[in-house]
Each structure stands twice: as structure tokens, then as C-alpha cells.
Amino acid sequence: MTVLMTKAFARFARKAGLTSDSLTRAAADVAEGAFDADLGGDVYKQRVARAGEGKSGGFRTIIMFKVGGHSFFAHGFAKSEKANVRPKELKALKKLAMVLLGLSDAEIENAMGAGEFVKVEDDGDEAHQG
């Protein structure tokens, strides 16, 4: 399974200090059915721990995932920033999930080449462009 981040989420992850390992684990948990919330439309909320801390004080991430496809991190926020995704945001995220999860491998490669997606590397290094 390929784990990708949108350009905006990659910026958030870098500023928040989220490691590629924590993101890879969060995506794997969602794929295994161990997610925090199924928001519908292939959109999932999953907690990711801050470096050196537990998940409860960490970040909330929004992952788009469909069995047999890629995982996309699209949105992230600190719990202290907001409690949850607002209904208007959720509607937009579900539309985005339809688009992202419908992309072909070639379209994803093109978007990565253009810098719109960043591949999460599971080698223990920080997430970087693939």
C-alpha cells in the first residue's frame, strides 16, 4: 500500500514534526480497521502521536482510504486547535476522497512529479518527496 500526503498535509506534518513512521503506522491501522472514526465516504479520522508523547495529546489526521488502493493524508489538526471536523469540511473531504481515490497510478505519479503529493517513506526517515 502506498501512503501519500497532499502538499498541504505534508507542510502540516513537517511543522508538527510528524515522523514517517508514525504516519505509516496510522495508515496501516486504518487499513487494518483500527481507526478512531469512520466519517463515511472512505474518509477516516486517526490520531497520530506527537514525537515523544502519546496519541491523546497528539494530532488528528484525516485519511482517505479504500481497500486495494492508496492511502492519502489530506488534513491534520491538533485537538487543542479544534475538537472535530465541521460538517462543511466533512462534505468537502468526502468529495476530495472521491477524486483522490479515483486517480490512476499514472495520474498519481504525475501529481507527485508536480509536487502535489508527497510519498510517505516507511524507512524511518522523515517524510520526503518521492
Side-chain angles (χ1 to χ4, degrees):
M1 169 180 67
T2 302
V3 181
L4 301 161
M5 299 180 280
T6 62
K7 185 172 161 181
F9 184 89
R11 194 170 28 253
F12 164 80
R14 189 173 44 255
K15 287 180 183 177
L18 298 178
T19 65
S20 58
D21 285 346
S22 66
L23 294 173
T24 300
R25 180 73 247 156
D29 286 347
V30 170
E32 294 165 5
F35 44 80
D36 292 322
D38 180 346
L39 303 178
D42 300 319
V43 177
Y44 298 87
K45 183 169 72 170
Q46 183 69 4
R47 290 179 293 172
V48 176
R50 289 180 195 264
E53 295 184 32
K55 284 185 179 181
S56 63
F59 297 96
R60 290 2 181 205
T61 62
I62 302 298
I63 303 173
M64 281 82 174
F65 169 76
K66 190 176 228 173
V67 174
H70 303 292
S71 293
F72 292 89
F73 281 93
H75 184 56
F77 55 95
K79 184 178 179 184
S80 60
E81 184 182 309
K82 65 180 178 180
N84 213 338
V85 177
R86 293 178 201 92
K88 282 178 95 172
E89 289 175 310
L90 181 57
K91 187 176 181 179
L93 288 167
K94 287 180 180 181
K95 286 181 180 179
L96 179 61
M98 285 178 56
V99 171
L100 295 180
L101 296 172
L103 293 174
S104 69
D105 288 343
E107 290 169 322
I108 290 170
E109 286 297 323
N110 287 339
M112 286 175 62
E116 293 304 315
F117 297 137
V118 178
K119 185 175 182 181
V120 177
E121 302 292 344
D122 60 1
D123 58 8
D125 293 339
E126 289 301 306
H128 62 279
Q129 195 149 356

